[in-house]
Amino acid sequence: MKPAYEYGEEVRLIRNVRNDGTYPGMEVGELLIKRGSIGCVYDVGTYLQDQLIYRVHFLYQGRTVGCREEELIRATDEWIPNRFEFRDRVKTRVALSSEGQIIAEKGTVGEIQKVMREPGRMYYLVRFGDDIYQIPEQALAGEDDDDAS
C-alpha cells in the first residue's frame, strides 16, 4: 500500500469526522472536524494491515485526528462547500417532480439523509415522507428561511 498523501502535504476533509470513542475528552458521536477543513498530514500508519490511516493536524481546530484515505482530497482540489448537513430539516424552493409527477410542492419540508458530491456538483438525498430523492442544493432552503414559503 502506497500512501496517496505524504508527510507535510495539505489535505481537505470531505466528510465530517465524529468521535468514535477513541478521542479523549469528548463524547462518542461528537463532531471533531467539519467537512471542508484543511489540515496537514503529520504521519501515515495502517489499521488492521489493510487500511491506511493519515494522522492529520487541523491547525485552526487545534486537533489531530486519524483519517482514512477516502475521507481526504488535496487542499488544492476543487471544493464546493455544502450548506446543509445530515438530518438538517429543509424545505423546497420550488415544486419538484419526477417522471411528470409532483413529488413535493413548493415549501414541502424534508430531511437531509446524505450529502453527495461529484466533480463540480453538490446535491443531497432528501427524505420527503417515506421516499428519498436526489435534490440539488439550489432547490432547497433551510426550514426557517423565508425565501421558500
Side-chain angles (χ1 to χ4, degrees):
M1 289 184 299
K2 184 173 176 3
Y5 310 107
E6 298 296 329
Y7 175 81
E9 189 170 355
E10 284 192 329
V11 291
R12 184 183 306 272
L13 193 61
I14 63 170
R15 297 182 186 156
N16 288 334
V17 173
R18 297 185 178 279
N19 188 8
D20 62 1
T22 59
Y23 198 90
M26 296 183 78
E27 295 293 321
V28 172
E30 193 170 344
L31 182 66
L32 293 173
I33 305 291
K34 185 173 171 54
R35 82 177 88 232
S37 298
I38 293 177
C40 187
V41 174
Y42 188 79
D43 193 14
V44 181
T46 59
Y47 176 70
L48 299 177
Q49 300 179 349
D50 68 345
Q51 290 184 47
L52 288 174
I53 302 295
Y54 296 85
R55 191 162 61 160
V56 179
H57 180 70
F58 294 90
L59 180 64
Y60 295 110
Q61 292 83 359
R63 293 196 173 114
T64 300
V65 298
C67 300
R68 295 173 298 173
E69 195 165 286
E70 63 266 16
E71 296 174 320
L72 302 169
I73 60 174
R74 286 184 170 70
T76 56
D77 288 353
E78 178 186 24
W79 177 254
I80 302 169
N82 53 294
R83 179 168 176 210
F84 305 110
E85 293 290 346
F86 173 65
R87 292 195 175 155
D88 280 355
R89 307 243 329 139
V90 294
K91 61 184 172 182
T92 57
R93 292 180 183 272
V94 295
L96 302 174
S97 63
S98 175
E99 298 177 2
Q101 299 282 61
I102 297 289
I103 59 170
E105 296 289 343
K106 179 179 178 182
T108 301
V109 175
E111 184 179 81
I112 301 293
Q113 300 298 296
K114 190 169 186 179
V115 178
M116 307 292 291
R117 295 178 185 282
E118 291 176 359
R121 185 170 166 227
M122 160 76 62
Y123 59 95
Y124 301 89
L125 297 183
V126 182
R127 178 182 301 278
F128 296 106
D130 293 332
D131 299 315
I132 296 176
Y133 297 97
Q134 180 178 307
I135 310 292
E137 188 172 78
Q138 60 269 26
L140 300 171
E143 183 178 26
D144 298 326
D145 290 353
D146 291 332
D147 61 345
S149 37

